[in-house]
Amino acid sequence: MQTQSLWEHTLTFFPQFLAAVEERAAAGATIAVIGASDGRFILPLAAAGYRVIAIERDPLALHGGEVHLPGDEHAHTTGLIDRLKLEALYDRVQVVEEDFLQAEPLGVLCDAVWTSCSWHYSANHHSSLAEFVTRMQGMVRPGGLFGAEFMMPVQQRHHLIEHYTSPEKLRGHFIGDWDALLTLRTNEFTERAHVGQLQAHTHRMGLLLAAHTPNSSYQPGKKNS
């Protein structure tokens, strides 16, 4: 591709999600990305032939502008919209410039939905983790795929914030009409400085992939044999 995302070199479980999409979704399937940023995941999905809904509220990520980089450098970054145009992918992507937690429903169910390390941001802590997950689940059609990678607690303060979760805890949101397909987790690792984190820092990350598989015998609040 002609342009590069600011997040190009950060660790991601996106290849596992993409492999699941390729296995389960038809050609031209509709995939929503919550927290589209400058297109690290949007462009590969669109280039693969999928119809993508990119939900992002940050004007800098969407339209580009000056960013502060490690080494006390400043540079102009290309936003998602211009990157899509440069790669001739703009017609394959619907950009929704809204706060995911406050936006009106899309009015369409998606074949897959993905988010990367979005709910742990403090700006999203005005809503519970359960609300974030439930809103994402509500976007997935029966038979569709849910994918999320997320930060796990490392510092003591993280253990006090539910949005820094674990695959085991997150699975509790996927009962009844959901089948957890894959959970992964990393050990602690040091990630080099990048935009938004101008010093090297320590992370733990998790992944959960789940399929929406309606089960007519399941009733919330009722014990099923």
Side-chain angles (χ1 to χ4, degrees), residues 2-3 15 31 44 50 55 67 92 116-117 122 144 156 160 183:
Q2 300 179 63
T3 61
I31 302 174
Y50 299 110
I55 303 175
V67 293
R92 300 203 62 85
S116 173
C117 301
S122 59
Q156 182 59 40
L160 304 176
T183 58

Side-chain angles (χ1 to χ4, degrees), residues 124-147:
N124 290 324
H125 291 183
H126 59 83
S127 296
S128 68
L129 175 60
E131 181 179 348
F132 201 111
V133 172
T134 299
R135 285 179 70 93
M136 282 186 62
Q137 289 173 328
M139 299 172 65
V140 182
R141 68 164 180 81
L145 183 70
F146 176 109

Side-chain angles (χ1 to χ4, degrees), residues 87-101:
E87 305 294 347
L89 295 171
Y90 185 75
D91 291 342
R92 300 203 62 85
V93 178
Q94 175 187 350
V95 177
V96 179
E97 191 170 355
E98 293 187 64
D99 183 337
F100 168 67
L101 290 168

Side-chain angles (χ1 to χ4, degrees), residues 126-178:
H126 59 83
S127 296
S128 68
L129 175 60
E131 181 179 348
F132 201 111
V133 172
T134 299
R135 285 179 70 93
M136 282 186 62
Q137 289 173 328
M139 299 172 65
V140 182
R141 68 164 180 81
L145 183 70
F146 176 109
E149 62 183 8
F150 45 89
M151 294 298 179
M152 297 174 59
V154 175
Q155 302 175 22
Q156 182 59 40
R157 64 182 179 86
H158 295 159
H159 291 272
L160 304 176
I161 303 171
E162 65 164 343
H163 301 76
Y164 288 86
T165 188
S166 69
E168 294 78 16
K169 290 180 179 179
L170 197 58
R171 283 186 70 136
H173 297 278
F174 292 84
I175 57 174
D177 291 353
W178 291 92

